[in-house]
Amino acid sequence: MTERTQGDLVLDLDGFEGPIGLLLMLAREQKVDLRRISILALAEQYLAFIAKADRLQLELAADYLVMAAWLAYLKSRLLLPEPPAEGEPSAEEMAEALAFRLRRLEAMQQAAASLFARPLLGRDVFASGAPPAATETVRSVFAASLYDLLSAYARQRRDATAQILEIRAPQYYAVEDAQARLASMIGTVMDWRQLAQFLPPRLGGGGDTGLAATFAASLELARTGRIELRQETAFGPLWLRAARPQR
Amino acid sequence: MTGEDETAAIDPEEAAEERQRLLRVVEAVVFASAEPVPDEALAERLPEGVALAELMEELQRFYRFRGIHLVRAAGGWVFRTAPDLAGALATERVETRRLSRAQIETLAIIAYHQPVTRAEIEEIRGVSMHKGTLDLLMETGWVQPRGRRETPGRPVTWVTTDAFLRHFGLDTLKDLPNLAELEAAGLLDQRPVETLGETGTDRGEPPEEEL
Amino acid sequence: MTGEDETAAIDPEEAAEERQRLLRVVEAVVFASAEPVPDEALAERLPEGVALAELMEELQRFYRFRGIHLVRAAGGWVFRTAPDLAGALATERVETRRLSRAQIETLAIIAYHQPVTRAEIEEIRGVSMHKGTLDLLMETGWVQPRGRRETPGRPVTWVTTDAFLRHFGLDTLKDLPNLAELEAAGLLDQRPVETLGETGTDRGEPPEEEL
């Protein structure tokens, strides 16, 4: 379909870019400035094109047919001028609106052409191929205010003071421990010894839990017959020794 | 000692030497950078009070007839090979995917009408947009969505990028070809053409254009 | 027609112009290439019989005093920024780093107790010091080793520097508030100090080991 005669249509399907694009293509056939184009003539061209496509059984998208209907209406309005109904645009206004759209699309097509006619990077002009110089160095700036410094010191001093005041967890001497200790020690003791001598050294002999646990342990060992206990007066010292083997 | 005295004290020969050194510095900085170097970045390298514009003009003049040119792109200074040597450098050419006519038009519309919605692009072109058109333009790195139109549905608006400016050798969007003429002719106005309701995306399922 | 006849027929002005064009071509080719361009690759761009060496020498001479130089590297030609401008080209990226709680406490102890040995710092803090702590404080430029304690092992003692005074806006070390003043300022109150979270440095230094 490249045969081209004056006033005839070129059916260039590759160029189809919607009804406005087609109208613009047809308008170019008129070879006049778009501002002076005859919308009436253009409408006739378009309708002829659609009729021809129909004859050739070309499948046209609905847009083209809608545009055809609209142009047929516009054509009739332009040919038979009568005042428009209330609130409806006049035929001239409709024609001007169409002409504006054609001009606008043409402007964009020309703008696209101008853009791509520029010296394009990677096509016409080239950037330096050299890798960018590695000249960047990183300088660290340390963020610390005087407040940070002082509060750190104050906090550290406060924590240090708190450490001195710390109350140690009470050490508890269990009866089981005392019993094990007493049992292991008493095996070698044949003479009477005071209970105080069997207190765990960790508690310096004076720890309440050490004394209480060792006393409880001595009672238990006496009950099971492994030691003998003796107390001479009330609240007097408690004596103990290993039980004599039964004969 | 006043400032005037100090200035007067400078040896003219020394001043010329210093100026030569500054020229060399900006030349090297621009050359070494991967991206166009903005004026501010260059000014930072120079002593206070040095007229950067004059320096750059001198440097640009110096390269005017050479194989590489000092040009503006995307808001900064950059060296590029001279456009007239395109033929001699053909082997350097980067094969880029050819854009379809629809994509080229869409790119131009985004460039000149930005920020612009998809529906507005369709309105200008008078055809509904193929799904892949914006995708591929995004892939080139030349367009990106930014912002939304404060209309019902808050549609995304599209703009061009710095990569677009660099690729097309434009300093700013104001340097788009024929921008002033198009503006003067009212062709960039946001002007919905309501008398032609037959195209656009309002209708159910417009056929997609041929690519 | 022989080659000699052809050469003789060339207008000298045209010949100079052609030479200028060839200079521009090699200039642009070298500029645009990602790798140093070997002589053979350049020769391919030139008409038969052109003395490449002379062209390159002329180009090299042209750039000799400029901010970028044409040099031989890795068997080819390449543009490089002039070596003497390395300093002027160096850009600094400033990175803000926060000190960890351990680091700032150590700094504070050095400030208040100087000259102080590492062991003394550990004793005051009640925890052993991470290897990197003093290194990093040295990097800040705020502390330095000076002198030795005349005790067994003669350990190094640490002091703060003038940079420390400048950074913290102190005239002398005597300006540091004493404990009573810290108390009066409420700095000894029992409350969490949140401005000094355990942020550490960007290097992800491990926290100090508590003893």
Side-chain angles (χ1 to χ4, degrees):
Chain A
M1 289 287 169
T2 50
E3 195 184 329
R4 176 185 272 243
T5 53
Q6 185 66 30
D8 201 358
L9 300 169
V10 180
L11 293 182
D12 179 4
L13 291 176
D14 288 341
F16 274 24
E17 285 290 344
I20 296 289
L22 174 57
L23 274 169
L24 188 55
M25 207 172 77
L26 295 171
R28 292 204 181 104
E29 301 271 316
Q30 292 194 14
K31 294 199 171 69
V32 292
D33 190 316
L34 268 188
R35 275 167 299 187
R36 279 186 287 281
I37 197 154
S38 160
I39 291 293
L40 187 59
L42 188 61
E44 277 166 357
Q45 268 178 289
Y46 184 92
L47 293 172
F49 176 90
I50 296 297
K52 187 168 181 178
D54 194 39
R55 274 201 309 282
L56 293 169
Q57 295 187 310
L58 289 176
E59 230 177 279
L60 283 178
D63 302 51
Y64 294 90
L65 303 177
V66 172
M67 176 62 91
W70 188 83
L71 284 174
Y73 170 68
L74 176 63
K75 185 181 151 192
S76 68
R77 291 279 307 270
L78 285 168
L79 288 173
L80 301 166
E82 54 186 56
E86 192 77 19
E88 229 181 77
S90 69
E92 285 69 29
E93 282 167 341
M94 289 165 72
E96 167 48 27
L98 178 60
F100 172 78
R101 291 192 66 178
L102 293 175
R103 287 200 303 275
R104 186 171 62 177
L105 181 57
E106 185 187 47
M108 284 302 104
Q109 288 179 355
Q110 284 168 353
S114 312
L115 272 178
F116 281 87
R118 293 183 62 79
L120 298 193
L121 184 61
R123 188 189 74 181
D124 310 304
V125 300
F126 299 90
S128 168
T135 51
E136 191 185 75
T137 54
V138 177
R139 182 166 59 98
S140 290
V141 166
F142 292 90
S145 66
L146 187 60
Y147 175 78
D148 293 339
L149 181 79
L150 300 181
S151 56
Y153 187 65
R155 182 187 54 218
Q156 201 281 325
R157 297 320 294 169
R158 189 194 65 214
D159 291 352
T161 311
Q163 258 178 10
I164 292 165
L165 297 177
E166 185 184 0
I167 297 161
R168 289 185 179 174
Q171 284 170 313
Y172 172 71
Y173 194 58
V175 175
E176 290 74 26
D177 295 340
Q179 193 175 324
R181 178 183 166 81
L182 199 53
S184 70
M185 289 174 76
I186 203 75
T188 58
V189 176
M190 292 301 138
D191 306 326
W192 289 103
R193 297 278 175 86
Q194 285 200 27
L195 179 72
Q197 287 179 274
F198 297 96
L199 294 184
R202 193 151 48 112
L203 301 180
D208 288 339
T209 70
L211 178 61
T214 307
F215 174 62
S218 68
L219 291 178
E220 177 62 17
L221 289 176
R223 189 184 66 79
T224 55
R226 298 191 49 197
I227 63 166
E228 295 171 12
L229 284 174
R230 181 164 69 96
Q231 189 176 32
E232 285 159 347
T233 58
F235 303 108
L238 200 61
W239 300 85
L240 51 86
R241 68 175 183 190
R244 302 286 143 140
Q246 301 286 330
R247 299 204 175 215
Chain B
M1 202 195 280
T2 69
E4 275 174 44
D5 288 335
E6 267 188 284
T7 312
I10 290 176
D11 179 355
E13 203 169 297
E14 259 178 45
E17 236 173 64
E18 171 65 4
R19 185 178 171 78
Q20 194 55 36
R21 198 187 70 83
L22 296 179
L23 272 174
R24 295 178 68 233
V25 167
V26 290
E27 187 178 29
V29 167
V30 171
F31 173 81
S33 169
E35 304 286 335
V37 188
D39 285 335
E40 305 81 64
L42 288 175
E44 270 174 31
R45 313 297 191 109
L46 303 177
E48 202 102 357
V50 171
L52 178 69
E54 279 174 31
L55 274 186
M56 297 317 288
E57 205 185 297
E58 185 173 340
L59 208 54
Q60 203 168 21
R61 216 165 35 235
F62 177 81
Y63 278 99
R64 184 164 299 162
F65 301 112
R66 304 217 52 92
I68 53 184
H69 288 179
L70 180 63
V71 298
R72 294 281 302 179
W77 294 97
V78 68
F79 281 111
R80 295 279 193 252
T81 58
D84 67 299
L85 297 177
L89 291 170
T91 52
E92 306 286 337
R93 206 166 280 177
V94 200
E95 265 324 306
T96 47
R97 204 165 144 185
R98 273 190 69 81
L99 297 184
S100 72
R101 185 172 151 176
Q103 285 156 353
I104 288 173
E105 274 184 30
T106 301
L107 176 64
I109 291 168
I110 294 174
Y112 284 82
H113 289 262
Q114 62 189 298
V116 63
T117 67
R118 185 193 173 104
E120 288 159 0
I121 298 169
E122 290 178 327
E123 210 256 346
I124 292 170
R125 295 198 61 234
V127 66
S128 66
M129 196 183 292
H130 188 276
K131 258 174 78 119
T133 305
L134 282 173
D135 267 14
L136 188 117
L137 285 177
M138 277 253 277
E139 211 181 300
T140 63
W142 297 337
V143 307
Q144 65 173 52
R146 191 164 61 211
R148 291 178 176 279
R149 181 79 71 231
E150 290 304 333
T151 54
R154 301 189 71 241
V156 145
T157 53
W158 292 81
V159 298
T160 55
T161 62
D162 273 2
F164 167 82
L165 294 176
R166 282 198 301 274
H167 187 84
F168 289 89
L170 300 165
D171 190 11
T172 71
L173 289 173
K174 291 197 181 76
D175 299 310
L176 285 167
N178 307 320
L179 184 68
E181 291 95 306
L182 293 175
E183 261 173 1
L187 290 168
L188 303 181
D189 296 354
Q190 274 207 25
R191 174 172 156 183
V193 187
E194 275 147 21
T195 46
L196 278 175
E198 82 290 352
T199 55
T201 49
D202 293 343
R203 290 165 309 120
E205 289 247 319
E208 292 196 334
E209 69 201 331
E210 309 272 334
L211 264 184
Chain C
M1 205 193 279
T2 68
E4 273 175 45
D5 287 337
E6 262 189 290
T7 312
I10 289 175
D11 176 354
E13 204 168 298
E14 262 178 42
E17 239 174 60
E18 172 63 4
R19 185 178 171 77
Q20 194 54 37
R21 200 187 71 83
L22 295 179
L23 272 174
R24 296 177 69 233
V25 168
V26 290
E27 188 177 29
V29 167
V30 171
F31 171 82
S33 169
E35 306 286 334
V37 189
D39 287 335
E40 306 80 60
L42 287 175
E44 274 172 28
R45 313 289 190 119
L46 305 176
E48 200 98 4
V50 170
L52 178 69
E54 277 174 34
L55 273 186
M56 298 316 288
E57 203 185 301
E58 182 173 343
L59 209 54
Q60 204 168 20
R61 215 166 34 235
F62 177 82
Y63 278 100
R64 183 163 299 162
F65 300 112
R66 305 217 49 94
I68 54 183
H69 289 177
L70 180 63
V71 298
R72 295 279 305 181
W77 294 97
V78 66
F79 280 112
R80 291 270 163 81
T81 54
D84 66 301
L85 295 178
L89 285 181
T91 54
E92 271 187 349
R93 187 158 55 82
V94 173
E95 177 193 79
T96 303
R97 288 161 67 177
R98 288 189 66 86
L99 298 184
S100 72
R101 178 179 165 151
Q103 285 155 357
I104 198 139
E105 270 188 30
T106 303
L107 175 65
I109 289 166
I110 295 173
Y112 274 91
H113 297 262
Q114 60 189 294
V116 64
T117 68
R118 184 195 173 98
E120 289 160 359
I121 297 169
E122 289 180 330
E123 202 197 297
I124 293 169
R125 289 199 62 227
V127 296
S128 70
M129 196 183 295
H130 186 275
K131 252 175 63 121
T133 305
L134 281 173
D135 283 357
L136 185 119
L137 288 178
M138 282 260 278
E139 205 184 310
T140 63
W142 296 336
V143 308
Q144 62 179 44
R146 192 166 64 207
R148 289 177 180 278
R149 181 78 71 233
E150 291 306 332
T151 55
R154 300 190 69 244
V156 149
T157 53
W158 292 82
V159 297
T160 55
T161 62
D162 282 353
F164 168 84
L165 294 178
R166 279 198 301 277
H167 180 88
F168 291 97
L170 302 164
D171 276 340
T172 75
L173 288 171
K174 292 200 180 76
D175 290 347
L176 282 171
N178 60 32
L179 276 179
E181 287 164 329
L182 290 176
E183 167 116 66
L187 285 163
L188 282 170
D189 292 353
Q190 286 278 358
R191 72 185 164 89
V193 184
E194 274 156 19
T195 48
L196 271 174
E198 295 289 345
T199 47
T201 65
D202 293 337
R203 294 184 301 182
E205 211 168 88
E208 284 191 345
E209 294 151 6
E210 301 284 332
L211 263 183

